[in-house]
Amino acid sequence: MALDPDRRAAFVAALDETAGEVDLVRAALLIAAQGRGVDVAGAEARVQTLIAQADATGCDSLPALAAFLRDQAGFSGNAENYYDADNSYLDLVLERRVGIPITLAVLHIAVGEGLGLDVRGIGFPGHFLVAEYGGRDSGDEIALVDPFAGRAMSRDDARALLVTLYGDERAAEVGRDPALFAPCTSRDILLRMLENLKQLRARDGDLGGTLALLELQLVVRPEQFELRAQHESLLKRAFGGLGDGDAPAVH
């Protein structure tokens, strides 16, 4: 699957920060549109509808928004088919109302911002979270939410989740990271979404699809040496320069 030049240009435009923030929803939808047809405008309209519905119910905090998306809008984590690639396509998450933590986090961020809340992603290891802050000029975390479960949680709850994900010894090591609960930028979120899809493509042996997603990662973070090295290795492999055993590590 070659990277469509028109969609690449649209993705670059969505990342243009000269007018303010990255357009996270549009960029996420354009990721979903690589190699498949997506009604971007229609999906964006669904987000606007959710904002209007949440506003009508009086959502005035992230926990209230999470409860609305879970109980009234019907969104939930897809625990049964967690590794289904469809969970990483924002348009299908909006349509099917199931997803993985990071796509559901994008939804919480988008609707939250539409309501005037300062909601940001938290790149928690193995399980993306969202938090509400006291405003763009404030670093005070007001609430922490697990978008996969659609519920508020404490930092102790999140640390307990680390044990579930990694076991006691590894969780203790990861939990010492001072940036454990640090907010992410939109570019960080998009890079992680692309990484998830890239791993799925690599798992399925889809070299072209893996390469296209890696090229989008380079649009997001062109300065990352590891990404450039992976790109060079994949290009060599795609054109027969490497054997099957020489595939780059995609993680």
Side-chain angles (χ1 to χ4, degrees):
M1 178 183 68
L3 181 58
D4 183 282
D6 292 335
R7 286 177 176 162
R8 184 188 189 280
F11 187 71
V12 170
L15 267 60
D16 184 0
E17 296 170 278
T18 55
E21 291 291 317
V22 167
D23 190 336
L24 180 60
V25 168
R26 175 160 292 191
L29 289 168
L30 289 168
I31 289 172
Q34 294 300 323
R36 49 187 295 274
V38 171
D39 179 4
V40 173
E44 289 175 323
R46 287 186 185 218
V47 173
Q48 292 303 313
T49 297
L50 287 168
I51 292 170
Q53 292 172 340
D55 188 42
T57 65
C59 287
D60 59 359
S61 68
L62 178 58
L65 170 59
F68 162 79
L69 290 172
R70 181 193 66 218
D71 298 333
Q72 297 185 49
F75 286 91
S76 64
N78 192 351
E80 293 183 3
N81 294 294
Y82 189 90
Y83 294 102
D84 184 346
D86 288 354
N87 295 322
S88 292
Y89 296 136
L90 185 58
D91 62 310
L92 294 182
V93 172
L94 288 163
E95 179 183 326
R96 299 161 66 227
R97 311 239 161 178
V98 293
I100 53 176
I102 196 164
T103 45
L104 293 168
V106 169
L107 182 61
H108 281 69
I109 293 167
V111 178
E113 288 184 345
L115 295 171
L117 305 175
D118 182 7
V119 179
R120 307 180 210 173
I122 305 295
F124 199 73
H127 195 98
F128 211 84
L129 305 175
V130 286
E132 180 184 358
Y133 291 80
R136 289 294 169 185
D137 296 328
S138 169
D140 296 333
E141 179 187 301
I142 296 173
L144 188 65
V145 159
D146 175 0
F148 192 74
R151 64 179 180 87
M153 66 190 320
S154 67
R155 289 194 172 201
D156 285 342
D157 292 333
R159 291 182 185 279
L161 181 60
L162 279 180
V163 176
T164 302
L165 293 170
Y166 296 112
D168 291 329
E169 185 174 344
R170 176 63 176 152
E173 179 184 346
V174 173
R176 287 192 290 270
D177 185 349
L180 192 64
F181 294 99
C184 293
T185 67
S186 294
R187 286 177 181 266
D188 293 333
I189 295 170
L190 294 168
L191 192 69
R192 188 155 162 173
M193 292 180 73
L194 285 162
E195 185 65 26
N196 288 341
L197 280 168
K198 187 179 74 177
Q199 289 188 27
L200 291 174
R201 296 288 188 185
R203 178 200 66 185
D204 294 339
D206 181 357
L207 180 59
T210 304
L211 184 58
L213 292 163
L214 182 51
E215 289 178 4
L216 285 182
Q217 285 187 304
L218 282 167
V219 172
V220 177
R221 293 293 185 201
E223 74 283 1
Q224 286 199 6
F225 173 79
E226 182 183 0
L227 294 176
R228 287 188 275 116
Q230 283 186 25
H231 186 248
E232 181 180 353
S233 294
L234 275 180
L235 280 176
K236 288 180 179 178
R237 183 179 167 201
F239 287 98
L242 296 176
D244 290 339
D246 297 316
V250 177
H251 53 80

